[in-house]
Coordinates of all heavy atoms in Angstrom, one line a residue:
Y6 N -32.0 88.2 53.1 CA -30.9 89.0 53.2 C -29.6 88.2 52.9 O -29.6 86.9 53.0 CB -30.8 89.4 54.7 CG -31.9 90.2 55.2 CD1 -33.0 89.6 55.8 CD2 -31.9 91.6 55.0 CE1 -34.1 90.3 56.2 CE2 -33.0 92.4 55.4 CZ -34.1 91.7 56.0 OH -35.2 92.5 56.4
A7 N -28.6 88.9 52.5 CA -27.3 88.3 52.3 C -26.7 88.0 53.7 O -27.1 88.6 54.7 CB -26.4 89.3 51.6
D8 N -26.0 87.0 53.8 CA -25.4 86.5 55.0 C -24.6 87.7 55.7 O -24.6 87.7 57.0 CB -24.5 85.3 54.8 CG -25.2 84.1 54.5 OD1 -26.5 84.0 54.8 OD2 -24.7 83.1 54.0
S9 N -24.0 88.5 54.9 CA -23.1 89.5 55.5 C -24.0 90.5 56.3 O -23.4 91.3 57.1 CB -22.3 90.2 54.4 OG -23.2 90.8 53.4
V10 N -25.3 90.7 56.0 CA -26.0 91.7 56.7 C -27.2 91.1 57.5 O -27.9 91.9 58.2 CB -26.6 92.8 55.7 CG1 -25.5 93.3 54.8 CG2 -27.7 92.1 54.8
K11 N -27.3 89.9 57.4 CA -28.4 89.2 58.2 C -28.4 89.5 59.7 O -27.3 89.4 60.3 CB -28.4 87.7 58.0 CG -29.7 86.9 58.2 CD -29.6 85.6 57.7 CE -29.5 85.4 56.2 NZ -29.5 84.1 55.7
G12 N -29.4 89.9 60.3 CA -29.5 90.2 61.7 C -29.1 91.7 62.0 O -29.3 92.1 63.1
R13 N -28.7 92.4 61.0 CA -28.2 93.8 61.2 C -29.1 94.7 60.3 O -29.3 95.9 60.8 CB -26.8 94.0 60.9 CG -25.9 93.1 61.7 CD -24.3 93.5 61.4 NE -24.0 93.2 60.1 CZ -23.5 94.2 59.3 NH1 -23.5 95.5 59.7 NH2 -23.1 93.9 58.1
F14 N -29.5 94.3 59.1 CA -30.3 95.2 58.3 C -31.7 94.7 58.2 O -32.0 93.5 58.3 CB -29.6 95.2 56.8 CG -28.3 95.8 56.7 CD1 -27.6 96.3 57.8 CD2 -27.8 96.0 55.4 CE1 -26.4 96.9 57.6 CE2 -26.5 96.6 55.3 CZ -25.8 97.1 56.4
T15 N -32.6 95.6 58.0 CA -34.0 95.3 57.8 C -34.6 96.0 56.6 O -34.5 97.3 56.6 CB -34.8 95.6 59.0 OG1 -34.3 94.9 60.2 CG2 -36.3 95.2 58.9
I16 N -35.1 95.3 55.7 CA -35.8 96.0 54.5 C -37.3 96.1 54.7 O -37.9 95.1 55.3 CB -35.4 95.2 53.2 CG1 -35.9 96.0 52.0 CG2 -36.0 93.8 53.3 CD1 -35.4 95.4 50.6
S17 N -37.9 97.1 54.3 CA -39.4 97.2 54.4 C -39.8 98.1 53.2 O -39.1 98.7 52.5 CB -39.8 97.9 55.7 OG -39.2 99.2 55.9
R18 N -41.1 98.1 53.0 CA -41.7 98.9 51.9 C -43.1 99.5 52.3 O -43.8 99.0 53.3 CB -41.9 98.0 50.8 CG -42.9 96.9 50.9 CD -42.9 95.9 49.7 NE -43.1 96.5 48.4 CZ -42.8 96.0 47.3 NH1 -42.2 94.8 47.2 NH2 -43.1 96.7 46.2
D19 N -43.4 100.6 51.7 CA -44.7 101.2 51.8 C -45.3 101.4 50.4 O -44.8 102.2 49.7 CB -44.5 102.6 52.5 CG -45.8 103.3 52.7 OD1 -46.8 103.1 52.1 OD2 -45.8 104.2 53.7
N20 N -46.2 100.5 50.1 CA -46.8 100.5 48.8 C -47.6 101.7 48.4 O -47.9 102.0 47.2 CB -47.5 99.2 48.5 CG -46.6 98.0 48.4 OD1 -45.4 98.1 48.1 ND2 -47.2 96.8 48.7
V21 N -48.1 102.4 49.5 CA -49.0 103.6 49.2 C -48.0 104.7 48.8 O -48.4 105.5 47.9 CB -49.8 104.0 50.5 CG1 -50.4 105.3 50.3 CG2 -50.7 102.9 50.9
K22 N -46.8 104.8 49.4 CA -45.9 105.8 49.0 C -44.9 105.4 47.9 O -44.1 106.3 47.6 CB -45.2 106.3 50.3 CG -46.1 106.9 51.4 CD -45.3 107.3 52.5 CE -46.2 107.9 53.7 NZ -45.4 108.3 54.9
N23 N -45.0 104.2 47.5 CA -43.9 103.7 46.5 C -42.6 103.8 47.1 O -41.6 104.3 46.4 CB -44.0 104.5 45.2 CG -45.2 103.9 44.3 OD1 -46.1 103.2 44.8 ND2 -45.1 104.1 43.0
M24 N -42.4 103.5 48.3 CA -41.1 103.6 49.0 C -40.6 102.3 49.5 O -41.3 101.4 49.8 CB -41.2 104.5 50.3 CG -41.7 105.9 50.0 SD -40.4 106.9 49.4 CE -39.3 107.1 50.7
V25 N -39.2 102.1 49.4 CA -38.5 101.0 50.0 C -37.5 101.6 51.0 O -36.8 102.6 50.7 CB -37.8 100.2 49.0 CG1 -37.2 98.9 49.6 CG2 -38.8 99.8 47.9
Y26 N -37.4 100.9 52.1 CA -36.4 101.4 53.2 C -35.4 100.3 53.5 O -35.7 99.1 53.4 CB -37.2 101.8 54.4 CG -38.3 102.7 54.2 CD1 -39.6 102.3 54.1 CD2 -38.0 104.1 54.1 CE1 -40.6 103.2 53.8 CE2 -39.1 105.0 53.9 CZ -40.4 104.6 53.7 OH -41.3 105.5 53.6
L27 N -34.3 100.7 54.0 CA -33.3 99.8 54.5 C -32.8 100.4 55.8 O -32.1 101.4 55.9 CB -32.1 99.6 53.5 CG -31.1 98.5 53.9 CD1 -31.7 97.2 53.9 CD2 -29.8 98.6 53.2
Q28 N -33.1 99.7 56.9 CA -32.7 100.1 58.2 C -31.4 99.4 58.5 O -31.4 98.1 58.5 CB -33.8 99.7 59.3 CG -33.3 100.0 60.7 CD -33.2 101.6 61.0 OE1 -34.0 102.3 60.7 NE2 -32.0 102.0 61.6
M29 N -30.3 100.1 58.7 CA -29.0 99.5 58.9 C -28.7 99.7 60.3 O -28.7 100.9 60.9 CB -28.0 100.2 58.0 CG -28.4 100.2 56.5 SD -27.3 101.2 55.5 CE -25.7 100.4 55.7
S30 N -28.3 98.7 61.0 CA -28.0 98.8 62.4 C -26.6 98.0 62.7 O -26.2 97.1 61.8 CB -29.0 98.1 63.3 OG -30.2 98.7 63.2

């Protein structure tokens, strides 16, 4: 993560669905 979002954003992926997610908190 970039320092500006570390600890607040979480990236994840689902390779079955070809999806990438970004949870922003």
Side-chain angles (χ1 to χ4, degrees):
Y6 300 91
D8 288 343
S9 59
V10 306
K11 198 171 294 183
R13 300 187 298 118
F14 290 8
T15 302
I16 188 171
S17 60
R18 66 190 298 162
D19 183 334
N20 289 336
V21 174
K22 297 180 179 179
N23 279 19
M24 298 285 293
V25 185
Y26 306 98
L27 187 69
Q28 178 67 48
M29 307 170 63
S30 302

